[in-house]
Amino acid sequence: MKKLLPFLFLFSAPVYADITSSISSSVKLEVSAAATAADRIGNSYSVSGTGVNTTDGTTAGSIGGLGAATNGVNAYTPITASQLTDGESFNYTVSHTTGDTIGTSLTTGEVSAFGDITSTSGGTATNLAGTVDNHVITLTAGSQGTTATGQYVTTVTVD
């Protein structure tokens, strides 16, 4: 019986498998639109200090600041500081940022003149082309603001 064992493997059951194959090709052509991103700079005011006298020109001890807003810009009251006691140490810091004015008569397509603007022109499809012929992909570069992408995919699945 032991001598017949190798011959039994020769007569084993047949193996069946499902094989699936797919091939696809594609071309994608894109032309970018014009775009603008605008970030408005806001109003800010900060003051700190020790050992100083302050005035806004009318009121002693005033620390100045921001007032009512007109078209997005706050009124600003500046202050004057002087050393409180001659010969003593003092520290004084003031920071003021005037915000961007909000446009009141913009028309479609216009952008307010904000402090942080990025603008890009639209792409032009001049010369942009792509073809697929019997899985041979041909791409032709376009002008600025364009993208051409070709793809060839082969898939084999064995179950």
Side-chain angles (χ1 to χ4, degrees):
M1 180 73 175
K2 289 183 182 179
K3 292 180 184 180
L4 295 176
L5 189 59
F7 293 110
L8 289 176
F9 289 114
L10 291 175
F11 299 109
S12 62
V15 175
Y16 297 101
D18 291 330
I19 298 176
T20 306
S21 174
S22 69
I23 301 172
S24 65
S25 299
S26 64
V27 170
K28 180 170 101 172
L29 305 174
E30 294 179 298
V31 178
S32 299
T36 299
D39 294 322
R40 181 177 172 263
I41 307 265
N43 299 278
S44 69
Y45 177 77
S46 172
V47 63
S48 65
T50 58
V52 292
N53 286 318
T54 59
T55 180
D56 63 4
T58 305
T59 308
S62 172
I63 58 169
L66 300 176
T70 303
N71 293 337
V73 177
N74 290 93
Y76 170 61
T77 303
I79 61 172
T80 303
S82 59
Q83 188 175 15
L84 183 63
T85 306
D86 289 344
E88 295 289 323
S89 64
F90 69 95
N91 175 359
Y92 176 71
T93 304
V94 68
S95 172
H96 171 240
T97 301
T98 301
D100 292 328
T101 302
I102 297 172
T104 57
S105 62
L106 294 176
T107 60
T108 302
E110 288 184 319
V111 178
S112 288
F114 288 161
D116 185 4
I117 295 178
T118 302
S119 186
T120 57
S121 63
T124 307
T126 306
N127 299 326
L128 180 63
T131 60
V132 176
D133 183 18
N134 199 24
H135 301 294
V136 174
I137 298 171
T138 304
L139 300 173
T140 304
S143 299
Q144 75 279 354
T146 63
T147 304
T149 306
Q151 182 176 9
Y152 180 81
V153 178
T154 302
T155 304
V156 176
T157 305
V158 178
D159 287 333

